[in-house]
Amino acid sequence: MEATAGRLRGDGCDADPIWDREVETENHEQALARASGAWQVQFSHLLDDSPFYSRRFREAGVGTSPVGLNDITRLPFTSKADLKHAVDEHPPFGSNLCVPPASVKRIYQTSGTSGTPSVLALTPGDVETWTAIGTRTYYASGIHDHHSVLTTFGAGPFVAGHTYFVLSRIGSRVVPVGPGDTDRVLFGLRAGIFDTLMTTPSFAQYLSNRLEKSGERVHPLAHVVTGGEPGGGIPAVRDHIQRVTGATVNEVMGIGDVAPSLFGECPAQLGMHFCGGGHVWVEMVEPDSQEPVTIEPGAVGELVYTHLTREAMPVVRFLGGDIVRVEGGSCGCGRSTFRMRILGRRDDMFIVLGVNVYPSAILAVVGDLRPRVTGRARVVRPGTDVGIEPPVPIEVEVSNDHAGDAAWRARSSGRSVPS
């Protein structure tokens, strides 16, 4: 039985498959009107309560004059480095904290991979906003109240922990395991205590490889929702997980400084729907020139985010770093928000003979080489130059059964990567 009308295969429940139908089905003009009203309030909030943004607006020559969403390109971009500077000049929350510290009731932390972790402060209103967006996102993926969800996302310190609020809002059964406990996931599979797995695509691949190699028969899954990294939308990765687990595999995406869940792919598997309407405004720009790009089918660019309702630490024109392609056509679920696929991170891109290459394209090729490989691979970049002369060194994890297969090594070394 195929997925229809936004439902997973075999899901015959009578619930509306769209959580917030008014927002998720509105046209562009309606979405702009809703967002514009919220932005007027937010702009005043920033001028009055954010030393960080009031100074940036003044330096950009905007001052206190109202700037509508149609003119938002008049405002400066915000980078991750800008936000770090704001924290450094007024720790621990930064000069962009727009509420009294006593109003902060929940704190997450960034990974700190590029330095000291930053804190992400939320008011009760921000907690509710993140929960509302996340509920749209995961409901769009096909999770309803009758599902039992095992999640490998930790409760913190990273923002993925907010998913527990979302699952409670949806009303599904929750089996919290957290990251790194394969044995408990396998126990749950054997016992049949969950039908939906929420995890990273790399763990879903690892689990699938392990089950495939052992030949163990476990309770089939209905659904695998991937997030936290690219991969769930790569056909070679997705198809392998589906073949082994019997599940429908789709993906969700968020970004810590904006919201942990912003995009959710419906069971049609035709790209992730934007689910932040009314709370987040999205633009697209050309990654190098940062010139505006119209969000329309076929467009490729970097996504830029502006909070419309965030109270504690709003961002304006935040450069998210994700390079995406906007998908066209109807997926059939009824949502009218734009859909996209992630091509890669701006920082991960490299250039080979004038062609932009992202690691996700390499994973797509590597995935076709199963069962000789596990699906895991990495590019070895000599030095820091963006341009790499071919051949590009790539390390591929080979399954134990084929580690000494010389014929396969010769064949795989000649594979090309699509641009």
Side-chain angles (χ1 to χ4, degrees):
M1 179 177 177
E2 295 298 319
T4 58
R7 302 182 193 281
L8 294 168
R9 294 189 307 271
D11 188 347
C13 76
D14 58 2
D16 188 339
I18 299 179
W19 182 267
D20 191 343
R21 182 166 286 275
E22 180 182 355
V23 173
E24 296 179 71
T25 62
E26 61 190 5
N27 60 35
H28 177 73
E29 289 72 23
Q30 293 168 326
L32 177 60
R34 181 188 299 275
S36 294
W39 170 244
Q40 290 179 4
V41 176
Q42 182 76 308
F43 187 75
S44 296
H45 178 46
L46 292 164
L47 288 177
D48 295 340
D49 302 315
S50 173
F52 174 74
Y53 275 114
S54 61
R55 181 177 68 244
R56 287 175 66 83
F57 293 170
R58 186 170 59 252
E59 291 171 349
V62 174
T64 60
S65 302
V67 176
L69 279 182
N70 284 325
D71 296 320
I72 199 169
T73 55
R74 294 173 54 197
L75 301 179
F77 292 109
T78 304
S79 68
K80 189 73 175 178
D82 294 329
L83 295 181
K84 184 180 185 305
H85 178 71
V87 171
D88 290 344
E89 69 180 359
H90 200 287
F93 298 112
S95 55
N96 188 35
L97 182 68
C98 299
V99 298
S103 296
V104 175
K105 300 301 181 183
R106 192 165 184 84
I107 296 174
Y108 293 103
Q109 299 173 37
T110 63
S111 63
T113 53
S114 59
T116 304
S118 298
V119 298
L120 300 169
L122 282 76
T123 67
D126 293 332
V127 170
E128 171 57 30
T129 295
W130 276 19
T131 303
I133 298 172
T135 301
R136 295 177 194 165
T137 298
Y138 283 94
Y139 201 77
S141 79
I143 297 176
H144 291 179
D145 60 358
H146 60 82
H147 288 113
S148 180
V149 183
L150 185 147
T151 172
T152 66
F153 297 158
F158 308 132
V159 297
H162 205 85
T163 307
Y164 290 97
F165 288 93
V166 170
L167 295 174
S168 294
R169 178 68 54 85
I170 292 174
S172 55
R173 178 191 296 153
V174 181
V175 184
V177 169
D181 200 335
T182 306
D183 289 340
R184 289 197 180 273
V185 175
L186 286 169
F187 167 79
L189 270 176
R190 293 164 184 147
I193 60 175
F194 67 96
D195 57 42
T196 298
L197 175 63
M198 188 180 295
T199 189
T200 61
S202 57
F203 180 78
Q205 284 188 91
Y206 168 77
L207 186 66
S208 298
N209 287 331
R210 181 163 170 172
L211 291 172
E212 189 173 38
K213 183 177 180 179
S214 69
E216 180 181 0
R217 299 186 66 83
V218 294
H219 288 268
L221 288 174
H223 195 193
V224 176
V225 185
T226 64
E229 62 190 26
I234 298 174
V237 174
R238 180 189 64 207
D239 294 348
H240 177 247
I241 299 169
Q242 290 187 156
R243 179 173 55 79
V244 175
T245 65
T248 296
V249 177
N250 52 15
E251 59 180 347
V252 298
M253 192 207 83
I255 184 167
D257 291 286
V258 183
S261 307
L262 276 169
F263 295 87
E265 184 176 34
C266 76
Q269 301 173 303
L270 294 174
M272 291 180 280
H273 294 268
F274 174 59
C275 296
H279 297 295
V280 177
W281 186 251
V282 181
E283 304 169 71
M284 180 181 282
V285 298
E286 203 283 324
D288 295 325
S289 69
Q290 296 185 335
E291 289 297 313
V293 175
T294 301
I295 297 178
E296 60 185 3
V300 173
E302 179 177 358
L303 294 180
V304 180
Y305 305 95
T306 295
H307 280 128
L308 302 174
T309 59
R310 182 75 175 270
E311 295 173 345
M313 300 176 71
V315 295
V316 176
R317 306 200 74 205
F318 178 73
L319 293 162
D322 293 302
I323 310 301
V324 309
R325 180 187 64 243
V326 179
E327 300 297 299
S330 172
C331 68
C333 78
R335 292 173 179 81
S336 57
T337 54
F338 75 93
R339 287 178 287 115
M340 63 81 174
R341 284 280 187 214
I342 297 178
L343 300 179
R345 293 283 300 170
R346 180 184 58 215
D347 296 342
D348 291 340
M349 186 200 78
F350 55 95
I351 301 173
V352 181
L353 299 178
V355 177
N356 294 346
V357 179
Y358 296 94
S360 57
I362 295 170
L363 288 177
V365 173
V366 170
D368 288 335
L369 299 175
R370 284 191 179 90
R372 296 176 176 87
V373 302
T374 66
R376 295 169 59 87
R378 67 177 180 179
V379 178
V380 181
R381 293 177 60 175
T384 59
D385 292 341
V386 174
I388 299 180
E389 291 295 322
V392 179
I394 300 172
E395 293 181 353
V396 179
E397 187 176 80
V398 181
S399 60
N400 291 336
D401 295 340
H402 297 275
D405 190 337
W408 174 80
R409 289 176 182 273
R411 172 175 173 264
S412 62
S413 64
R415 295 294 292 263
S416 61
V417 176
S419 59

